[in-house]
Amino acid sequence: MKKKIAVLGGDGIGPEVVGAACQILEKANFSLDIEWLPNGEAALETHGTVLPEETKKQCEESDAVFFGSANPPSDPIIMYLRWGLGNYVNIRPTKYYTGAASPLKSPEGIDLVILRENSEGMYTYAEGDLALVQDALPEFRTRHGKSLGDYGKGNFALRIMSETGMKRFSKYACEFAQDRKNKGFPGNITVVTKSNMFPQTCGMLEKAVQEELVDYPELTYTRFYVDDMARRLVRFPDRFDVIATSNLFGDILTDEADEIAGGLGMAGSACVGGKVPYFESVHGTAPDIAGKNIANPTGAILSAKYMLDYLGMEQEADSLEKALKTVYKEGKDLTVDQGGKAGTTQFAEAVLRHIK
Ligand code: NAI
Ligand code: MG
């Protein structure tokens, strides 16, 4: 049976890069049943909503969702894919491919994965008028002794780490690192927090990972604060294996990691743990280059590779990655962000030519 893929192109360069990746999957005759569904700003005009009910139904009847990226009006798509479907882990690999435009002198050997907790932390969408919490918590004191009323008028955002959330994420991270170790990687988990400032929230993540690690004697553990980690990623990127971190830190560190390996346009990801997984590039809608056929579709192509892996189509995933590698090594068909002249579709055609 062909695996069923629901495609949500999203906005901006989303449909362009996902379209380029789908063209490869289709023309390479991979055994997939790919269906484009109405969504995003385009669907707002045709269907009066960024996420029609029928689109949701089709997603839930699919084996995977392949997603582009969304502008803020299309936020309901992201809320649905993450929270509606329950995908609480975002797997974001960073790997250097020879020929990619890394700003580092020696980027060879960068091959790490950032696991970003995808459902809690700063992304609870729990923001509001500060008066709400001032009225509800008149006795509350901050660690430096202020009452909330001392701040006067303002707004708040809640950062929430739940025990269930941290435990399931830590369990996933350990299983993931062990799987990688079984494939020859070092088997190290680096937990990135700011537990010196946030002992109760960041501290929970550290504790949850350490408790889980008791069952994984082959794995080693390191912990760095996020500011230090930002620096280490630039200086020693080849020293990292699996990095586990909370939502906002993961969002920021993955853009940084991707840039040092060649650029934001090159990064793909998998979001898993829920009813139906979804696969998306790390970048956003890139309004500055949208509609020009110049976006680098590598992030979407790599997301497709992770999707094939997830669906048990390892051979196809492998041939896709090998073809991509060859295009970077040859350097003849690279996109503008990589110092080349090729457009989005020309790059995709070059990848397709190298699929064996
Ligand atoms: P962005 O990732 O869209 O772009 C940042 C920079 O990287 C831009 O200069 C862009 O041209 C470049 N870039 C991104 N992808 C590229 C590609 N494939 N090839 C070549 N260059 C590429 O981030 P930005 O500008 O902060 O946000 C733009 C919009 O995207 C906003 O509306 C934001 O809310 C949304 N966004 C959506 C995300 C999602 O749907 N998952 C994630 C991040 C941002
Ligand atoms: Mg981001």
Side-chain angles (χ1 to χ4, degrees), residues 5 12 15 25 27 34 42 44 55 65 69 79 102-103 111 122 124 131 182 188 205 215 254 284 314 338:
I5 310 299
L25 299 176
K27 291 194 176 155
I34 297 174
L44 198 55
T55 293
V65 175
S69 45
M79 291 190 200
S102 166
D111 192 351
M122 272 323 289
T124 50
N182 298 344
N188 176 257
L205 174 58
D215 295 330
T254 47
E314 283 94 0
Q338 298 298 307

Side-chain angles (χ1 to χ4, degrees), residues 92 116 251 255 282:
R92 296 185 151 183
R116 166 188 178 192
D251 191 0
D255 270 35
V282 171

Side-chain angles (χ1 to χ4, degrees), residues 15-29:
E16 298 174 49
V17 292
V18 164
C22 283
Q23 230 187 340
I24 300 173
L25 299 176
E26 278 171 341
K27 291 194 176 155
N29 280 324

